[in-house]
Amino acid sequence: QVQLVESGGGLVQAGGSLRLSCAASGRIFSISVVGWYRQAPGKQRELVAVINTGGRTNYADFVKGRFAISRDNSLNTVYLQMSSLKSEDTAVYYCNVRGLLYGPNVFDAWGQGTLVTVSS
């Protein structure tokens, strides 16, 4: 019912920047909370950043001051601007979108993941 398409991952040198995008489509009435998570090899998935309907953001300590989450409600798209990347930021990044469908029904969808590799 809801499809999420992530893009923007890739290989970048330490200190560089990348911008991830997550576009949601489907019978979406509204989007409430959106989050970016990441999972490094051999580690559990962890929350990176979250943004709510009003635009309030929250970040994991390990990305504060380096990453910025934003959303474009008109496009049902959320972004993660990543700067000053470190090798330890290497992971698969997933977006998580929650909201309401026309119906109404709630939804909680995950993107397919996009790989970010930071070379030192």
Side-chain angles (χ1 to χ4, degrees):
Q1 291 178 320
V2 175
Q3 296 79 41
L4 301 182
V5 177
E6 298 182 31
S7 60
L11 175 64
V12 63
Q13 288 188 333
S17 300
L18 281 176
R19 189 177 82 154
L20 306 182
S21 300
C22 174
S25 62
R27 292 182 53 79
I28 299 171
F29 176 74
S30 65
I31 291 176
S32 55
V33 178
V34 181
W36 283 97
Y37 294 74
R38 71 185 188 186
Q39 187 167 17
K43 294 187 177 181
Q44 290 188 336
R45 190 172 297 187
E46 58 186 358
L47 177 66
V48 175
V50 64
I51 185 169
N52 67 10
T53 305
R56 183 173 179 177
T57 59
N58 201 11
Y59 296 92
D61 287 343
F62 51 77
V63 301
K64 281 183 180 177
R66 300 189 298 123
F67 290 11
I69 187 171
S70 60
R71 59 193 287 171
D72 186 331
N73 293 327
S74 65
L75 297 177
N76 284 341
T77 300
V78 61
Y79 306 96
L80 184 68
Q81 179 67 48
M82 305 184 295
S83 303
S84 301
L85 283 161
K86 306 175 182 179
S87 57
E88 51 263 44
D89 294 319
T90 295
V92 177
Y93 285 72
Y94 300 88
C95 62
N96 172 245
V97 178
R98 304 176 187 180
L100 289 174
L101 299 171
Y102 285 100
N105 293 309
V106 298
F107 71 90
D108 184 344
W110 287 88
Q112 80 281 8
T114 185
L115 177 62
V116 173
T117 303
V118 183
S119 63
S120 56

